[in-house]
Every structure is written in C-alpha cells, then in structure tokens.
Amino acid sequence: MSAPFHRIDALLCTFRRPEVRDTLLSLEALDLPAGIDLRIVVADNDDTPSAREIVFETAAQMRLPVLYLHAPAFNISVARNAGLEAASERQADWVAFLDDDERADADWLARLVARAKETGADAVFGPSLAEYGPDAPDWIRGQDYHSNRPVRRGTVVQTGHTCNALLRWNSAAWRDQRFDVARGRAGGEDTEFFFRLHHAGARFEIAEDAIVREGVAPSRMTFGWILRRKFRSGQSYAAGAHGWKSRAARCGLAFGKGLFCACTAGLFAASRAGRNRWLLRGALHAGVVAGCLNLRQPQIYGLDSRP
C-alpha cells in the first residue's frame, strides 16, 4: 500500500530531561528529503510543565515548527497518545518516534523514509546506539547492554521500539490505535503497541543505517538497573503471545532457557563479565515467564528524572 510522505510528525515525549534540547537541535540539523514537511511534537509528561521553558527557548532558534504539549500523568502512554492525537489532528501521513535523550544523525529520517519507500513497509525501525563515557565498566561496554537494535525473527519483524521508528499513520487502518495506559508506568508499552499493529496486519522493516545515539547516564551503568531492564523487556515480549496455548508454549520455553542461563552463570562464577552475561539473559527469560503468567509489572516510570 502506497502512502504519501509529505507531512511527518516527529513525536518526542519528555520527562525532566534537559537533554531534550540536544534532541531538538539534532532534529533541526536533519538533511530532510525534498518535499518533506516535518513538525516536531514534544509531549511533557511531568505534573508541572517543567520542559516548557527549555522547549520554547530551543524552538526559538529553530526553523522547524515545534508544538509543545503538556500531558501530565507520570505515565508515558498518556504522553505518547497526546502526540498521536496531535498527529491525527494535523493529518500527518507518517509519525516518527525518538527519545528525549537521543540525538539523531543528520540522515536519520531520510534513511527511514528511503527504507519505507523501498520495501513498502508500514513501519521502519532503526538502531539506538549507546555512547559510553570513560568510566563505563568493561563488562558493560563489552556487551553493549544499553544499545537498542531492532530484531528480525526468521524473516519477520514482529515489533519494535519508539526510540527509533517511522510509522504510517493518516491512511492506516490502525490510526485509532493508542498506547496502553495500563503499561505506561512500567514500560514496554511500545513493544505491546507494535505487536498489536503487527497482529492487525502491519508489516515492519529495519533500517540499520538510520541511527540515533544516546549517552548513558552513570545511574544506568549498574547490574541492578540492567537486570530490571532485562526483566521488564521479557515481560513486554510476552505480549506477543495470543491465546493460552501460545502463552503456555512461550512460558515453558522461557522457563527452560532461564534455568539453563542460571546453571551456566554458575560455571562462570569466577568471571564477572561471563557471570553477569548469563544472569542477565536469565532475567530476560524470567520476565517472559512473568509476562505469560500476567504477573504485575513494577511501576517505575515517573519515580525519578531518568526512568
């Protein structure tokens, strides 16, 4: 199905992050393809409009139009949905997503658009590459735990993330779909959203060369933070299983893999890097089990300035 690429809204949610200024300036520096009318929509999820001043000051330096929305709730789904509502009101042909602590390469959007045109896909996902400071532990830097790369399972891309995505919107059958508010404080709302669109018939592709970059805060370079992220990712992945048979099969497979990872971690007890690698893989599979059993996800979004 063909669709125009004239109007694109770049949707950006923010929550107490001054880095949003650098994100906006990276979008201003994009090399836009001819005929693209790009607008930036910033949805501030804080209870007070704490990002308003920095967004307005930065927008005053930019040629691209910037729409600021205050979407309070300490719930990222509320902010994401506010952006989608704004895109629908404008009748944006496509919506692009990135995070408020990322910087887009100059050809980021052009690469996403080119891949969508080439493949006819309904959404295209690109990588978010972590940038580590000199104090990053070797065991973290070596495994690059903080980068986010889209995954193809066999020949199919089943889901993706809003850290780097372009999605067909105005002409799409899923134009009325929204992010699940029940997941908005735990995370994984984007994984579930794209799983839902995939089951509704949306076809996804990957643009490996459409890159955004994210500096990693010291508070995120701990075993505990990565462990929680892996477990939560596993819970989100469980959303792709529909029906009790599918959930039971996925749960059983994940349980077996988690047990294997735990045993293997014991074999690497003397190696911090090896032990952590297998424990974290096990946490991912444990999260899948928890998700398949519908165990409640931890409410973490909005508890600090860097969720």
Side-chain angles (χ1 to χ4, degrees):
M1 181 173 64
S2 62
F5 284 86
H6 178 56
R7 292 183 301 275
I8 299 179
D9 274 3
L11 308 184
L12 176 64
C13 300
T14 191
F15 184 85
R16 300 180 186 174
R17 279 192 176 134
E19 296 93 333
V20 68
R21 178 181 186 276
D22 295 328
T23 305
L24 290 170
L25 292 177
S26 75
L27 294 175
E28 171 69 9
L30 290 175
D31 295 328
L32 293 177
I36 295 294
D37 179 8
L38 177 65
R39 181 181 70 164
I40 304 168
V41 180
V42 182
D44 185 354
N45 201 217
D46 201 356
D47 54 348
T48 62
S50 58
R52 183 194 301 270
E53 184 175 353
I54 192 169
V55 170
F56 279 22
E57 288 181 352
T58 307
Q61 309 169 35
M62 300 169 57
R63 294 167 297 172
L64 291 175
V66 179
L67 173 64
Y68 172 86
L69 305 172
H70 186 215
F74 294 118
N75 184 309
I76 189 64
S77 291
V78 170
R80 297 203 192 286
N81 290 339
L84 291 179
E85 291 291 344
S88 292
E89 290 176 7
R90 188 194 181 212
Q91 297 186 332
D93 302 310
W94 293 72
V95 292
F97 298 93
L98 76 166
D99 289 343
D100 61 346
D101 56 352
E102 294 176 331
R103 291 168 287 106
D105 282 8
D107 61 354
W108 166 67
L109 189 60
R111 297 285 188 180
L112 289 176
V113 169
R115 185 64 172 157
K117 288 182 176 180
E118 173 192 354
T119 63
D122 299 301
V124 179
F125 305 107
S128 173
L129 302 184
E131 294 182 331
Y132 295 103
D135 296 331
D138 290 341
W139 69 270
I140 290 179
R141 188 189 301 274
Q143 290 296 318
D144 193 15
Y145 286 111
H146 296 78
S147 289
N148 191 327
R149 294 179 173 84
V151 175
R152 190 185 304 275
R153 301 190 181 281
T155 61
V156 179
V157 182
Q158 297 178 331
T159 188
H161 300 91
T162 48
C163 61
N164 185 347
L166 178 69
L167 173 66
R168 187 190 311 274
W169 192 244
N170 190 50
S171 63
W174 47 85
R175 188 172 178 267
D176 293 330
Q177 294 290 325
R178 296 295 182 266
F179 291 89
D180 184 0
V181 175
R183 295 176 180 268
R185 290 197 173 190
E189 77 293 333
D190 51 351
T191 303
E192 187 277 334
F193 176 78
F194 287 116
F195 261 134
R196 195 180 342 133
L197 267 55
H198 174 68
H199 285 293
R203 190 167 65 84
F204 303 149
E205 270 298 340
I206 296 172
E208 296 287 358
D209 53 0
I211 296 171
V212 298
R213 304 177 191 274
E214 176 186 359
V216 182
S219 61
R220 295 184 173 190
M221 288 189 288
T222 66
F223 179 80
W225 190 93
I226 302 171
L227 183 75
R228 290 190 295 273
R229 185 189 191 191
K230 290 289 186 181
F231 184 82
R232 186 182 68 182
S233 295
Q235 286 183 291
S236 301
Y237 178 70
H242 286 255
W244 71 267
K245 288 185 179 180
S246 176
R247 297 180 76 86
R250 185 165 294 190
C251 182
L253 181 62
F255 181 84
K257 289 182 176 180
L259 187 61
F260 174 81
C261 289
C263 294
T264 306
L267 300 177
F268 285 87
S271 167
R272 184 184 186 189
R275 180 182 68 249
N276 288 351
R277 177 172 178 263
W278 285 102
L279 287 174
L280 292 170
R281 289 184 65 177
L284 177 71
H285 297 306
V288 174
V289 173
C292 289
L293 295 176
N294 289 322
L295 299 184
R296 184 178 180 182
Q297 291 185 271
Q299 305 294 293
I300 63 172
Y301 186 79
L303 298 182
D304 56 44
S305 62
R306 303 190 68 86

PDB file of all heavy atoms in Angstrom, residues 8-14 24 27 38-44 55 65-69 79-80 82-87 90 95-96 98:
ATOM      1  N   ILE A   8       5.143  14.742   8.042  1.00  0.00           N
ATOM      2  CA  ILE A   8       5.660  13.827   9.060  1.00  0.00           C
ATOM      3  C   ILE A   8       5.735  14.577  10.388  1.00  0.00           C
ATOM      4  O   ILE A   8       6.269  15.685  10.452  1.00  0.00           O
ATOM      5  CB  ILE A   8       7.047  13.274   8.687  1.00  0.00           C
ATOM      6  CG1 ILE A   8       6.975  12.473   7.380  1.00  0.00           C
ATOM      7  CG2 ILE A   8       7.593  12.390   9.812  1.00  0.00           C
ATOM      8  CD1 ILE A   8       8.314  11.914   6.940  1.00  0.00           C
ATOM      9  N   ASP A   9       5.190  13.975  11.432  1.00  0.00           N
ATOM     10  CA  ASP A   9       5.319  14.499  12.791  1.00  0.00           C
ATOM     11  C   ASP A   9       6.328  13.654  13.551  1.00  0.00           C
ATOM     12  O   ASP A   9       6.163  12.420  13.643  1.00  0.00           O
ATOM     13  CB  ASP A   9       3.971  14.463  13.522  1.00  0.00           C
ATOM     14  CG  ASP A   9       3.132  15.698  13.262  1.00  0.00           C
ATOM     15  OD1 ASP A   9       3.564  16.557  12.462  1.00  0.00           O
ATOM     16  OD2 ASP A   9       2.036  15.811  13.853  1.00  0.00           O
ATOM     17  N   ALA A  10       7.369  14.291  14.081  1.00  0.00           N
ATOM     18  CA  ALA A  10       8.325  13.611  14.950  1.00  0.00           C
ATOM     19  C   ALA A  10       7.835  13.754  16.377  1.00  0.00           C
ATOM     20  O   ALA A  10       7.760  14.868  16.915  1.00  0.00           O
ATOM     21  CB  ALA A  10       9.717  14.214  14.796  1.00  0.00           C
ATOM     22  N   LEU A  11       7.464  12.635  17.000  1.00  0.00           N
ATOM     23  CA  LEU A  11       6.853  12.641  18.326  1.00  0.00           C
ATOM     24  C   LEU A  11       7.916  12.350  19.383  1.00  0.00           C
ATOM     25  O   LEU A  11       8.618  11.339  19.327  1.00  0.00           O
ATOM     26  CB  LEU A  11       5.735  11.597  18.399  1.00  0.00           C
ATOM     27  CG  LEU A  11       4.679  11.678  17.301  1.00  0.00           C
ATOM     28  CD1 LEU A  11       3.574  10.660  17.546  1.00  0.00           C
ATOM     29  CD2 LEU A  11       4.097  13.085  17.195  1.00  0.00           C
ATOM     30  N   LEU A  12       7.969  13.239  20.347  1.00  0.00           N
ATOM     31  CA  LEU A  12       9.026  13.202  21.352  1.00  0.00           C
ATOM     32  C   LEU A  12       8.391  13.400  22.722  1.00  0.00           C
ATOM     33  O   LEU A  12       7.797  14.445  22.985  1.00  0.00           O
ATOM     34  CB  LEU A  12      10.035  14.317  21.045  1.00  0.00           C
ATOM     35  CG  LEU A  12      11.194  14.564  21.977  1.00  0.00           C
ATOM     36  CD1 LEU A  12      12.114  13.354  22.011  1.00  0.00           C
ATOM     37  CD2 LEU A  12      11.972  15.791  21.519  1.00  0.00           C
ATOM     38  N   CYS A  13       8.473  12.399  23.587  1.00  0.00           N
ATOM     39  CA  CYS A  13       7.984  12.536  24.957  1.00  0.00           C
ATOM     40  C   CYS A  13       9.148  12.926  25.859  1.00  0.00           C
ATOM     41  O   CYS A  13      10.270  12.443  25.679  1.00  0.00           O
ATOM     42  CB  CYS A  13       7.382  11.220  25.448  1.00  0.00           C
ATOM     43  SG  CYS A  13       5.991  10.648  24.470  1.00  0.00           S
ATOM     44  N   THR A  14       8.876  13.780  26.839  1.00  0.00           N
ATOM     45  CA  THR A  14       9.956  14.206  27.732  1.00  0.00           C
ATOM     46  C   THR A  14       9.478  14.201  29.173  1.00  0.00           C
ATOM     47  O   THR A  14       8.301  14.421  29.463  1.00  0.00           O
ATOM     48  CB  THR A  14      10.497  15.597  27.336  1.00  0.00           C
ATOM     49  OG1 THR A  14      11.701  15.859  28.052  1.00  0.00           O
ATOM     50  CG2 THR A  14       9.478  16.691  27.611  1.00  0.00           C
ATOM     51  N   LEU A  24      16.259  18.166  20.201  1.00  0.00           N
ATOM     52  CA  LEU A  24      15.597  19.097  19.288  1.00  0.00           C
ATOM     53  C   LEU A  24      16.587  19.688  18.279  1.00  0.00           C
ATOM     54  O   LEU A  24      16.285  19.787  17.077  1.00  0.00           O
ATOM     55  CB  LEU A  24      14.933  20.222  20.079  1.00  0.00           C
ATOM     56  CG  LEU A  24      13.697  19.825  20.899  1.00  0.00           C
ATOM     57  CD1 LEU A  24      13.280  20.969  21.811  1.00  0.00           C
ATOM     58  CD2 LEU A  24      12.555  19.415  19.987  1.00  0.00           C
ATOM     59  N   LEU A  27      17.361  17.340  15.509  1.00  0.00           N
ATOM     60  CA  LEU A  27      16.299  17.284  14.504  1.00  0.00           C
ATOM     61  C   LEU A  27      16.351  18.507  13.591  1.00  0.00           C
ATOM     62  O   LEU A  27      16.099  18.407  12.388  1.00  0.00           O
ATOM     63  CB  LEU A  27      14.938  17.191  15.194  1.00  0.00           C
ATOM     64  CG  LEU A  27      14.684  15.906  15.990  1.00  0.00           C
ATOM     65  CD1 LEU A  27      13.346  15.978  16.721  1.00  0.00           C
ATOM     66  CD2 LEU A  27      14.725  14.681  15.085  1.00  0.00           C
ATOM     67  N   LEU A  38       8.227  18.539   7.921  1.00  0.00           N
ATOM     68  CA  LEU A  38       8.443  17.934   9.239  1.00  0.00           C
ATOM     69  C   LEU A  38       8.029  18.893  10.352  1.00  0.00           C
ATOM     70  O   LEU A  38       8.420  20.058  10.353  1.00  0.00           O
ATOM     71  CB  LEU A  38       9.916  17.552   9.418  1.00  0.00           C
ATOM     72  CG  LEU A  38      10.305  16.964  10.782  1.00  0.00           C
ATOM     73  CD1 LEU A  38       9.618  15.622  11.010  1.00  0.00           C
ATOM     74  CD2 LEU A  38      11.823  16.810  10.881  1.00  0.00           C
ATOM     75  N   ARG A  39       7.256  18.369  11.287  1.00  0.00           N
ATOM     76  CA  ARG A  39       6.910  19.100  12.502  1.00  0.00           C
ATOM     77  C   ARG A  39       7.350  18.262  13.699  1.00  0.00           C
ATOM     78  O   ARG A  39       7.274  17.032  13.677  1.00  0.00           O
ATOM     79  CB  ARG A  39       5.404  19.361  12.587  1.00  0.00           C
ATOM     80  CG  ARG A  39       5.005  20.147  13.835  1.00  0.00           C
ATOM     81  CD  ARG A  39       3.500  20.373  13.918  1.00  0.00           C
ATOM     82  NE  ARG A  39       2.762  19.150  14.196  1.00  0.00           N
ATOM     83  CZ  ARG A  39       1.487  19.123  14.623  1.00  0.00           C
ATOM     84  NH1 ARG A  39       0.830  20.250  14.803  1.00  0.00           N
ATOM     85  NH2 ARG A  39       0.864  17.979  14.841  1.00  0.00           N
ATOM     86  N   ILE A  40       7.793  18.927  14.764  1.00  0.00           N
ATOM     87  CA  ILE A  40       8.200  18.245  15.987  1.00  0.00           C
ATOM     88  C   ILE A  40       7.124  18.471  17.043  1.00  0.00           C
ATOM     89  O   ILE A  40       6.696  19.604  17.271  1.00  0.00           O
ATOM     90  CB  ILE A  40       9.555  18.757  16.488  1.00  0.00           C
ATOM     91  CG1 ILE A  40      10.623  18.602  15.398  1.00  0.00           C
ATOM     92  CG2 ILE A  40       9.974  18.015  17.753  1.00  0.00           C
ATOM     93  CD1 ILE A  40      11.911  19.336  15.692  1.00  0.00           C
ATOM     94  N   VAL A  41       6.691  17.388  17.682  1.00  0.00           N
ATOM     95  CA  VAL A  41       5.699  17.462  18.749  1.00  0.00           C
ATOM     96  C   VAL A  41       6.348  16.962  20.033  1.00  0.00           C
ATOM     97  O   VAL A  41       6.800  15.816  20.101  1.00  0.00           O
ATOM     98  CB  VAL A  41       4.450  16.617  18.426  1.00  0.00           C
ATOM     99  CG1 VAL A  41       3.435  16.710  19.567  1.00  0.00           C
ATOM    100  CG2 VAL A  41       3.829  17.056  17.105  1.00  0.00           C
ATOM    101  N   VAL A  42       6.428  17.822  21.036  1.00  0.00           N
ATOM    102  CA  VAL A  42       7.012  17.469  22.328  1.00  0.00           C
ATOM    103  C   VAL A  42       5.893  17.355  23.353  1.00  0.00           C
ATOM    104  O   VAL A  42       5.185  18.334  23.618  1.00  0.00           O
ATOM    105  CB  VAL A  42       8.042  18.508  22.800  1.00  0.00           C
ATOM    106  CG1 VAL A  42       8.657  18.077  24.134  1.00  0.00           C
ATOM    107  CG2 VAL A  42       9.122  18.706  21.755  1.00  0.00           C
ATOM    108  N   ALA A  43       5.724  16.169  23.949  1.00  0.00           N
ATOM    109  CA  ALA A  43       4.712  15.943  24.983  1.00  0.00           C
ATOM    110  C   ALA A  43       5.414  15.824  26.331  1.00  0.00           C
ATOM    111  O   ALA A  43       6.183  14.891  26.560  1.00  0.00           O
ATOM    112  CB  ALA A  43       3.910  14.680  24.688  1.00  0.00           C
ATOM    113  N   ASP A  44       5.156  16.783  27.204  1.00  0.00           N
ATOM    114  CA  ASP A  44       5.782  16.855  28.522  1.00  0.00           C
ATOM    115  C   ASP A  44       4.925  16.089  29.518  1.00  0.00           C
ATOM    116  O   ASP A  44       3.789  16.448  29.792  1.00  0.00           O
ATOM    117  CB  ASP A  44       5.902  18.332  28.927  1.00  0.00           C
ATOM    118  CG  ASP A  44       6.645  18.538  30.234  1.00  0.00           C
ATOM    119  OD1 ASP A  44       6.971  17.535  30.904  1.00  0.00           O
ATOM    120  OD2 ASP A  44       6.898  19.709  30.583  1.00  0.00           O
ATOM    121  N   VAL A  55      11.969  23.980  25.972  1.00  0.00           N
ATOM    122  CA  VAL A  55      11.451  23.683  24.630  1.00  0.00           C
ATOM    123  C   VAL A  55      11.196  24.976  23.867  1.00  0.00           C
ATOM    124  O   VAL A  55      11.578  25.117  22.693  1.00  0.00           O
ATOM    125  CB  VAL A  55      10.177  22.829  24.709  1.00  0.00           C
ATOM    126  CG1 VAL A  55       9.511  22.723  23.336  1.00  0.00           C
ATOM    127  CG2 VAL A  55      10.489  21.436  25.248  1.00  0.00           C
ATOM    128  N   PRO A  65       8.970  23.823  12.791  1.00  0.00           N
ATOM    129  CA  PRO A  65       7.925  24.120  13.776  1.00  0.00           C
ATOM    130  C   PRO A  65       7.944  23.106  14.913  1.00  0.00           C
ATOM    131  O   PRO A  65       8.151  21.904  14.698  1.00  0.00           O
ATOM    132  CB  PRO A  65       6.634  24.020  12.962  1.00  0.00           C
ATOM    133  CG  PRO A  65       6.975  23.111  11.821  1.00  0.00           C
ATOM    134  CD  PRO A  65       8.422  23.360  11.497  1.00  0.00           C
ATOM    135  N   VAL A  66       7.742  23.599  16.120  1.00  0.00           N
ATOM    136  CA  VAL A  66       7.725  22.750  17.313  1.00  0.00           C
ATOM    137  C   VAL A  66       6.421  23.003  18.061  1.00  0.00           C
ATOM    138  O   VAL A  66       6.100  24.142  18.407  1.00  0.00           O
ATOM    139  CB  VAL A  66       8.922  23.040  18.233  1.00  0.00           C
ATOM    140  CG1 VAL A  66       8.854  22.154  19.485  1.00  0.00           C
ATOM    141  CG2 VAL A  66      10.246  22.816  17.501  1.00  0.00           C
ATOM    142  N   LEU A  67       5.671  21.941  18.325  1.00  0.00           N
ATOM    143  CA  LEU A  67       4.447  22.026  19.107  1.00  0.00           C
ATOM    144  C   LEU A  67       4.723  21.439  20.484  1.00  0.00           C
ATOM    145  O   LEU A  67       5.141  20.283  20.607  1.00  0.00           O
ATOM    146  CB  LEU A  67       3.320  21.246  18.423  1.00  0.00           C
ATOM    147  CG  LEU A  67       2.014  21.115  19.217  1.00  0.00           C
ATOM    148  CD1 LEU A  67       1.363  22.482  19.433  1.00  0.00           C
ATOM    149  CD2 LEU A  67       1.053  20.159  18.510  1.00  0.00           C
ATOM    150  N   TYR A  68       4.491  22.229  21.532  1.00  0.00           N
ATOM    151  CA  TYR A  68       4.661  21.759  22.906  1.00  0.00           C
ATOM    152  C   TYR A  68       3.302  21.396  23.484  1.00  0.00           C
ATOM    153  O   TYR A  68       2.343  22.174  23.400  1.00  0.00           O
ATOM    154  CB  TYR A  68       5.316  22.845  23.760  1.00  0.00           C
ATOM    155  CG  TYR A  68       5.363  22.517  25.235  1.00  0.00           C
ATOM    156  CD1 TYR A  68       6.403  21.760  25.768  1.00  0.00           C
ATOM    157  CD2 TYR A  68       4.360  22.964  26.087  1.00  0.00           C
ATOM    158  CE1 TYR A  68       6.434  21.450  27.128  1.00  0.00           C
ATOM    159  CE2 TYR A  68       4.379  22.657  27.439  1.00  0.00           C
ATOM    160  CZ  TYR A  68       5.424  21.910  27.949  1.00  0.00           C
ATOM    161  OH  TYR A  68       5.454  21.605  29.299  1.00  0.00           O
ATOM    162  N   LEU A  69       3.221  20.204  24.084  1.00  0.00           N
ATOM    163  CA  LEU A  69       2.006  19.742  24.738  1.00  0.00           C
ATOM    164  C   LEU A  69       2.313  19.389  26.182  1.00  0.00           C
ATOM    165  O   LEU A  69       3.350  18.767  26.465  1.00  0.00           O
ATOM    166  CB  LEU A  69       1.444  18.491  24.041  1.00  0.00           C
ATOM    167  CG  LEU A  69       1.153  18.570  22.552  1.00  0.00           C
ATOM    168  CD1 LEU A  69       0.792  17.183  22.025  1.00  0.00           C
ATOM    169  CD2 LEU A  69       0.029  19.557  22.275  1.00  0.00           C
ATOM    170  N   ALA A  79       1.502  10.497  27.403  1.00  0.00           N
ATOM    171  CA  ALA A  79       2.264  11.439  26.576  1.00  0.00           C
ATOM    172  C   ALA A  79       2.335  10.962  25.127  1.00  0.00           C
ATOM    173  O   ALA A  79       2.170  11.754  24.190  1.00  0.00           O
ATOM    174  CB  ALA A  79       3.664  11.625  27.154  1.00  0.00           C
ATOM    175  N   ARG A  80       2.576   9.683  24.934  1.00  0.00           N
ATOM    176  CA  ARG A  80       2.650   9.160  23.562  1.00  0.00           C
ATOM    177  C   ARG A  80       1.309   9.345  22.850  1.00  0.00           C
ATOM    178  O   ARG A  80       1.257   9.703  21.667  1.00  0.00           O
ATOM    179  CB  ARG A  80       3.045   7.688  23.576  1.00  0.00           C
ATOM    180  CG  ARG A  80       4.425   7.407  24.144  1.00  0.00           C
ATOM    181  CD  ARG A  80       4.967   6.090  23.636  1.00  0.00           C
ATOM    182  NE  ARG A  80       6.144   5.668  24.379  1.00  0.00           N
ATOM    183  CZ  ARG A  80       7.348   6.203  24.251  1.00  0.00           C
ATOM    184  NH1 ARG A  80       7.533   7.219  23.420  1.00  0.00           N
ATOM    185  NH2 ARG A  80       8.384   5.749  24.957  1.00  0.00           N
ATOM    186  N   ALA A  82      -0.931  11.602  23.456  1.00  0.00           N
ATOM    187  CA  ALA A  82      -1.137  13.023  23.152  1.00  0.00           C
ATOM    188  C   ALA A  82      -0.451  13.384  21.840  1.00  0.00           C
ATOM    189  O   ALA A  82      -0.985  14.155  21.026  1.00  0.00           O
ATOM    190  CB  ALA A  82      -0.602  13.886  24.292  1.00  0.00           C
ATOM    191  N   GLY A  83       0.736  12.821  21.611  1.00  0.00           N
ATOM    192  CA  GLY A  83       1.425  13.053  20.344  1.00  0.00           C
ATOM    193  C   GLY A  83       0.668  12.483  19.163  1.00  0.00           C
ATOM    194  O   GLY A  83       0.563  13.119  18.101  1.00  0.00           O
ATOM    195  N   LEU A  84       0.114  11.281  19.333  1.00  0.00           N
ATOM    196  CA  LEU A  84      -0.661  10.673  18.246  1.00  0.00           C
ATOM    197  C   LEU A  84      -1.919  11.475  17.949  1.00  0.00           C
ATOM    198  O   LEU A  84      -2.326  11.604  16.788  1.00  0.00           O
ATOM    199  CB  LEU A  84      -1.023   9.228  18.599  1.00  0.00           C
ATOM    200  CG  LEU A  84       0.136   8.229  18.631  1.00  0.00           C
ATOM    201  CD1 LEU A  84      -0.367   6.843  19.015  1.00  0.00           C
ATOM    202  CD2 LEU A  84       0.870   8.176  17.293  1.00  0.00           C
ATOM    203  N   GLU A  85      -2.560  12.004  18.991  1.00  0.00           N
ATOM    204  CA  GLU A  85      -3.753  12.839  18.776  1.00  0.00           C
ATOM    205  C   GLU A  85      -3.386  14.078  17.959  1.00  0.00           C
ATOM    206  O   GLU A  85      -4.124  14.475  17.041  1.00  0.00           O
ATOM    207  CB  GLU A  85      -4.348  13.250  20.121  1.00  0.00           C
ATOM    208  CG  GLU A  85      -4.981  12.114  20.905  1.00  0.00           C
ATOM    209  CD  GLU A  85      -6.252  11.575  20.266  1.00  0.00           C
ATOM    210  OE1 GLU A  85      -6.817  12.257  19.392  1.00  0.00           O
ATOM    211  OE2 GLU A  85      -6.675  10.457  20.636  1.00  0.00           O
ATOM    212  N   ALA A  86      -2.243  14.699  18.300  1.00  0.00           N
ATOM    213  CA  ALA A  86      -1.812  15.883  17.557  1.00  0.00           C
ATOM    214  C   ALA A  86      -1.518  15.538  16.105  1.00  0.00           C
ATOM    215  O   ALA A  86      -1.846  16.300  15.184  1.00  0.00           O
ATOM    216  CB  ALA A  86      -0.576  16.490  18.225  1.00  0.00           C
ATOM    217  N   ALA A  87      -0.910  14.380  15.873  1.00  0.00           N
ATOM    218  CA  ALA A  87      -0.623  13.954  14.503  1.00  0.00           C
ATOM    219  C   ALA A  87      -1.903  13.694  13.727  1.00  0.00           C
ATOM    220  O   ALA A  87      -2.003  14.014  12.536  1.00  0.00           O
ATOM    221  CB  ALA A  87       0.252  12.695  14.530  1.00  0.00           C
ATOM    222  N   ARG A  90      -3.514  16.966  12.672  1.00  0.00           N
ATOM    223  CA  ARG A  90      -2.804  17.566  11.538  1.00  0.00           C
ATOM    224  C   ARG A  90      -2.954  16.723  10.270  1.00  0.00           C
ATOM    225  O   ARG A  90      -2.601  17.161   9.176  1.00  0.00           O
ATOM    226  CB  ARG A  90      -1.316  17.708  11.889  1.00  0.00           C
ATOM    227  CG  ARG A  90      -0.497  18.487  10.864  1.00  0.00           C
ATOM    228  CD  ARG A  90       0.983  18.284  11.101  1.00  0.00           C
ATOM    229  NE  ARG A  90       1.787  19.037  10.147  1.00  0.00           N
ATOM    230  CZ  ARG A  90       2.970  18.636   9.687  1.00  0.00           C
ATOM    231  NH1 ARG A  90       3.488  17.488  10.089  1.00  0.00           N
ATOM    232  NH2 ARG A  90       3.637  19.370   8.834  1.00  0.00           N
ATOM    233  N   VAL A  95       4.294   9.190  11.285  1.00  0.00           N
ATOM    234  CA  VAL A  95       4.824   9.699  12.544  1.00  0.00           C
ATOM    235  C   VAL A  95       6.174   9.031  12.797  1.00  0.00           C
ATOM    236  O   VAL A  95       6.353   7.843  12.506  1.00  0.00           O
ATOM    237  CB  VAL A  95       3.869   9.450  13.727  1.00  0.00           C
ATOM    238  CG1 VAL A  95       2.614  10.295  13.585  1.00  0.00           C
ATOM    239  CG2 VAL A  95       3.512   7.975  13.875  1.00  0.00           C
ATOM    240  N   ALA A  96       7.110   9.814  13.306  1.00  0.00           N
ATOM    241  CA  ALA A  96       8.422   9.294  13.686  1.00  0.00           C
ATOM    242  C   ALA A  96       8.545   9.384  15.200  1.00  0.00           C
ATOM    243  O   ALA A  96       7.968  10.281  15.832  1.00  0.00           O
ATOM    244  CB  ALA A  96       9.535  10.089  13.008  1.00  0.00           C
ATOM    245  N   LEU A  98      11.319   9.153  18.601  1.00  0.00           N
ATOM    246  CA  LEU A  98      12.633   9.029  19.231  1.00  0.00           C
ATOM    247  C   LEU A  98      12.505   9.517  20.662  1.00  0.00           C
ATOM    248  O   LEU A  98      11.500  10.120  21.047  1.00  0.00           O
ATOM    249  CB  LEU A  98      13.716   9.777  18.463  1.00  0.00           C
ATOM    250  CG  LEU A  98      13.797  11.295  18.554  1.00  0.00           C
ATOM    251  CD1 LEU A  98      15.141  11.770  17.986  1.00  0.00           C
ATOM    252  CD2 LEU A  98      12.675  11.964  17.776  1.00  0.00           C
TER     253      LEU A  98
END
